[in-house]
Amino acid sequence: MIHFPNDFLWGTATSSYQIEGGAEADGKGLSIWDEFSHTPGKTAKGQTGDIACDHYHLYKQDVALMAKMGVKAYRFSISWPRVQPDGEGAMNMAGMKFYSDLVDELLANGIEPWVTLYHWDLPLALHQKFDGWLSKKVVDCFGKYASYCFEHLGDRVKNWITLNEPWVVSILGYGQGAMAPGYISQDKPYIAGHHQLLSHAKAVEIYRSKYQSTQQGQIGISNNCDWREPKTGAPKDLEAAQRSLEFFLGWFADPIWLGDYPDVMKKRLGDRLPSFSEEEKKSLLGSSDFFGLNHYTTLFASDVNEREEMESNVHGNGGLFEDQYVKLTADPNWKLTSMKWAIVPWGCKKLLLWIKDRYDNPEVFITENGCSSDDQVIDGKVDDPHRIEFFQGYLSECHKAIQEGSNLSGYFIWSFLDNFEWALGYEKRFGITHVDFDSLERTPKSSAKWFEKVIEENGF
Ligand code: GAL
């Protein structure tokens, strides 16, 4: 039997737009996701997060469910336009009260809140006024919003995550158009990414200078990365895999842990990659108290020379292919989740060890890992052995990584509830709790019981 360190943190995660609903409740402003999901053709079956899991109204019962499962920590995000409707003007106290009440409810149930400030629902007004993340103006706006959250919640919230997955925001939102705000562009991702990094640094600077000494919390960022396994032992493929990881995780982690963008990105992108001033580099370096990691899958990476060859072989989720020249493929024997993401537990361990080596062994929290599957409700129960197998596989690799020196301190399951899976709508079920979206009833799946057991066996 596997035992994790005694103080290992077990949690589960969600995000505001995916579960809250209450799209215009109590003075909430609109976000780019409200607009995107209401634009015909952007989401599966035109589904939106208008109601979602109605967590905005049902949060007490959700916290009770988490407590019953034995969850020790809960990661959720604040909807920026709920607390500041136009992103730069007056605050909405009613919106902030919702989060304050949620935090109180969690603490009363012995659950530690982990709060993400930005999980993709930018105030629509900032997008309309100055193109959101494409303008440097967003940096000060984000700083003010963050400060407001620290001020109102920081007496009780001790774990802050500035941004969730700036890579996804940049590539899928500003490059491939699959997510809000839906831009298709070669250059915009790097600009959006740059301003997200500066916004992260700004929020951290404010937290550290004004709040951290009295509130005694920690603040960091959550980046996402798949593992890239060299397809063969050929030097070209080894380089391709490394290049792919630097374009993926290095893009956002290098400026924070090493002080600037990876050289390979600077060389390949030239002027298309914005640069940091010396002062900005200083504000970024060391600006995360921990390494938040969202990890789901693995692909093989190999080198390509010819553009045509690359385009005909592109296999999903690679970022801007023409900048990297890396061909991504899957092993046909790998099992897939219902989102067609390959289940490759050993990739998780390899990624943790890559982070350990590249970034001088930071403290890591896996802030998301999980799998989607076509769960069925039979007699009011959901049996999901494949999800249990997924968690067993990934957790045992996490354990091995710890034994090999990774400073992994916690693990959050994505997701607590089945929810609005962005452009894919409600059909892709990630939750350890099944939600029936017609009645909004919750049914914990068998993996929730299994997770409860893991927590128990580890002595908590
Ligand atoms: C992450 C994202 C989550 C969730 C998950 C599963 O990229 O942060 O919000 O959607 O993927 O697709």
Side-chain angles (χ1 to χ4, degrees):
M1 191 191 300
I2 296 179
H3 274 281
F4 282 81
N6 277 343
D7 52 357
F8 196 82
L9 190 70
W10 298 99
T12 183
T14 63
S15 85
S16 45
Y17 191 69
Q18 293 181 276
I19 66 160
E20 284 179 1
E24 293 188 58
D26 303 326
K28 176 182 167 291
L30 296 180
S31 79
I32 54 173
W33 264 97
D34 288 307
E35 181 183 69
F36 191 76
S37 66
H38 279 269
T39 306
K42 298 294 186 191
T43 64
K45 300 183 184 163
Q47 288 167 335
T48 74
D50 286 2
I51 300 175
C53 308
D54 203 22
H55 174 76
Y56 187 72
H57 299 109
L58 302 178
Y59 75 92
K60 283 195 181 172
Q61 96 177 41
D62 287 338
V63 173
L65 205 56
M66 277 182 238
K68 207 168 145 197
M69 280 177 202
V71 165
K72 293 291 156 198
Y74 173 50
R75 172 178 176 235
F76 64 92
S77 76
I78 295 180
S79 157
W80 182 351
R82 192 181 292 292
V83 304
Q84 191 184 28
D86 71 356
E88 49 180 359
M91 301 295 175
N92 176 28
M93 280 313 284
M96 183 51 86
K97 184 176 179 315
F98 166 70
Y99 296 108
S100 181
D101 291 348
L102 171 61
V103 166
D104 285 345
E105 192 69 17
L106 288 165
L107 293 173
N109 281 277
I111 300 170
E112 197 177 290
W114 280 60
V115 179
T116 309
L117 291 169
Y118 186 73
H119 199 129
W120 308 354
D121 38 5
L122 186 79
L124 181 60
L126 297 188
H127 174 67
Q128 290 170 334
K129 264 184 237 163
F130 53 68
D131 244 347
W133 294 112
L134 295 179
S135 164
K136 206 171 185 177
K137 289 188 187 145
V138 74
V139 177
D140 282 338
C141 295
F142 187 72
K144 272 192 207 142
Y145 154 66
S147 184
Y148 181 67
C149 296
F150 302 144
E151 185 189 330
H152 287 267
L153 302 174
D155 56 334
R156 289 154 292 152
V157 171
K158 304 300 164 194
N159 309 283
W160 295 99
I161 294 169
T162 53
L163 305 176
N164 178 68
E165 304 187 351
W167 183 94
V168 170
V169 172
S170 306
I171 294 292
L172 300 184
Y174 290 83
Q176 297 176 355
M179 294 209 172
Y183 282 122
I184 296 176
S185 157
Q186 298 289 313
D187 297 339
K188 286 187 170 82
Y190 300 112
I191 301 166
H194 196 72
H195 295 142
Q196 286 178 85
L197 277 163
L198 293 175
S199 300
H200 154 81
K202 181 82 182 179
V204 173
E205 207 173 272
I206 293 172
Y207 187 66
R208 289 189 176 159
S209 62
K210 277 185 77 179
Y211 301 96
Q212 200 166 32
S213 62
T214 48
Q215 297 185 347
Q216 299 283 308
Q218 55 175 351
I219 187 162
I221 187 169
S222 281
N223 283 305
N224 61 307
C225 195
D226 304 344
W227 175 245
R228 298 293 184 236
E229 179 72 5
K231 179 86 186 266
T232 72
K236 282 262 170 210
D237 287 349
L238 298 178
E239 271 171 39
Q242 177 69 15
R243 184 162 73 244
S244 175
L245 289 164
E246 291 186 27
F247 263 85
F248 204 151
L249 188 55
W251 179 5
F252 294 101
D254 276 24
I256 296 173
W257 277 272
L258 304 177
D260 202 356
Y261 289 124
D263 281 343
V264 70
M265 290 187 76
K266 291 201 266 187
K267 264 191 219 128
R268 286 182 172 244
L269 297 168
D271 289 351
R272 293 173 54 220
L273 184 69
S275 52
F276 297 114
S277 68
E278 288 310 310
E279 205 182 316
E280 289 168 346
K281 281 186 196 166
K282 260 195 231 147
S283 74
L284 277 157
L285 187 63
S287 62
S288 197
D289 294 331
F290 55 85
F291 199 107
L293 176 69
N294 296 354
H295 172 73
Y296 288 94
T297 188
T298 286
L299 288 172
F300 285 121
S302 44
D303 187 64
V304 259
N305 289 313
E306 298 299 323
R307 190 185 173 94
E308 292 85 289
E309 187 197 344
M310 182 179 59
E311 280 175 357
S312 62
N313 282 299
V314 157
H315 183 114
N317 212 21
L320 292 180
F321 313 112
E322 35 293 275
D323 293 334
Q324 299 179 38
Y325 276 53
V326 177
K327 174 175 154 185
L328 300 173
T329 49
D331 181 330
N333 295 318
W334 286 337
K335 283 191 189 165
L336 303 177
T337 70
S338 72
M339 298 240 302
K340 308 273 181 268
W341 292 356
I343 302 174
V344 190
W346 52 258
C348 183
K349 180 183 118 181
K350 290 201 175 191
L351 179 61
L352 287 167
L353 297 178
W354 188 86
I355 290 169
K356 165 181 169 279
D357 293 343
R358 188 172 180 86
Y359 301 116
D360 198 16
N361 207 8
E363 180 172 35
V364 180
F365 289 90
I366 292 189
T367 43
E368 283 183 32
N369 175 243
C371 78
S372 65
S373 73
D374 298 323
D375 300 320
Q376 307 291 330
V377 191
I378 298 166
D379 294 334
K381 289 186 189 155
V382 183
D383 194 15
D384 59 346
H386 40 278
R387 185 175 281 106
I388 293 178
E389 194 185 316
F390 175 97
F391 288 132
Q392 277 169 333
Y394 276 79
L395 280 173
S396 72
E397 293 296 320
C398 286
H399 188 256
K400 283 187 206 157
I402 295 173
Q403 287 178 318
E404 290 178 34
S406 161
N407 192 4
L408 175 66
S409 298
Y411 176 93
F412 292 76
I413 284 185
W414 185 270
S415 172
F416 168 52
L417 299 169
D418 285 337
N419 59 43
F420 178 73
E421 180 52 32
W422 308 110
L424 301 174
Y426 291 100
E427 317 308 312
K428 299 298 172 198
R429 303 188 172 282
F430 266 95
I432 48 174
T433 304
H434 168 76
V435 176
D436 177 341
F437 289 100
D438 293 325
S439 62
L440 292 173
E441 265 177 39
R442 279 91 163 122
T443 312
K445 299 175 189 175
S446 55
S447 53
K449 292 197 192 74
W450 176 79
F451 188 50
E452 195 179 328
K453 213 171 115 226
V454 171
I455 294 173
E456 212 179 272
E457 277 171 2
N458 280 280
F460 305 106

